[in-house]
Amino acid sequence: MELVTPGIGLIVWQAVAFIIVLLILRAFAWNPIMSALRTREGLIEDSLKAAENAKAEMEQVKLDNEYLLQEAKIERDKLLQEASVIANKIKEDAKKETSVITDKMIADAKSSIESEKKAALAEVKNLVAELSLEISEKLLREKLSDDKSQKALIDKFLKEVKVN
């Protein structure tokens, strides 16, 4: 049973060795490990604070973006409304200008028609006068082919000249 139960001397030497190892570990390993853990804990806390700050900043940026988006929508609606007003004004101006041009074209066409009409009437009058002269000339030649009718016509003209 000696194998299963250790002796008192062995237990004492093991306890002394354990305490020495514990003191050496405490002197050389425990403090650096603890300081590394404290440093890591501080880094983790700083990272958590930075994450919270980033989250708050993101919320603020999100609110700012929503505000800017609303302003952009209002500005867009305003610009669209102004563009619509300008387009309607341009349409109205174009209609007015077209109306003025159309009226001018109609007036020009009427004056052109009137001048053509006057020219045609003058030409018709000239043609009628020429035809009348030709007909009169033919009639007079035919009637005045003999001497008797020539004397009668001359007498008639002389009587008319005296009367007037």
Side-chain angles (χ1 to χ4, degrees):
M1 202 113 148
E2 238 178 78
L3 289 176
V4 177
T5 59
I8 298 250
L10 182 65
I11 291 176
V12 170
W13 284 110
Q14 282 183 348
V16 169
F18 179 75
I19 290 173
I20 291 172
V21 169
L22 187 64
L23 289 174
I24 291 173
L25 284 176
R26 185 172 187 213
F28 294 107
W30 187 259
N31 285 336
I33 290 173
M34 289 306 288
S35 68
L37 285 176
R38 284 187 200 106
T39 304
R40 182 164 172 90
E41 185 179 304
L43 288 174
I44 290 172
E45 285 181 17
D46 290 344
S47 296
L48 287 174
K49 287 179 184 177
E52 287 177 14
N53 289 339
K55 184 178 179 183
E57 287 179 17
M58 289 298 289
E59 287 294 322
Q60 185 62 37
V61 167
K62 184 178 178 183
L63 290 174
D64 290 346
N65 284 343
E66 288 178 5
Y67 176 74
L68 290 174
L69 184 63
Q70 289 296 328
E71 281 186 356
K73 285 181 181 179
I74 291 170
E75 185 69 23
R76 180 201 63 197
D77 292 342
K78 184 179 171 183
L79 288 175
L80 286 174
Q81 198 173 29
E82 287 176 3
S84 176
V85 168
I86 290 171
N88 287 337
K89 185 179 180 202
I90 289 172
K91 284 180 189 177
E92 290 298 320
D93 290 346
K95 283 180 184 179
K96 288 178 184 177
E97 187 174 333
T98 303
S99 176
V100 168
I101 290 172
T102 304
D103 291 344
K104 186 176 185 250
M105 288 175 69
I106 289 172
D108 290 346
K110 283 181 179 179
S111 66
S112 175
I113 290 170
E114 190 64 33
S115 65
E116 290 292 326
K117 181 180 169 184
K118 287 179 182 179
L121 283 175
E123 189 176 334
V124 168
K125 285 181 182 178
N126 287 338
L127 284 174
V128 168
E130 286 178 20
L131 285 175
S132 296
L133 283 175
E134 286 179 22
I135 292 172
S136 298
E137 185 180 341
K138 286 182 182 178
L139 281 174
L140 285 177
R141 280 191 187 156
E142 199 174 301
K143 281 191 170 183
L144 298 178
S145 55
D146 61 354
D147 288 336
K148 229 185 200 185
S149 57
Q150 285 180 8
K151 279 187 180 184
L153 187 60
I154 290 172
D155 287 338
K156 181 180 174 188
F157 284 146
L158 287 174
K159 286 181 186 175
E160 284 181 8
V161 171
K162 291 179 184 176
V163 173
N164 288 334

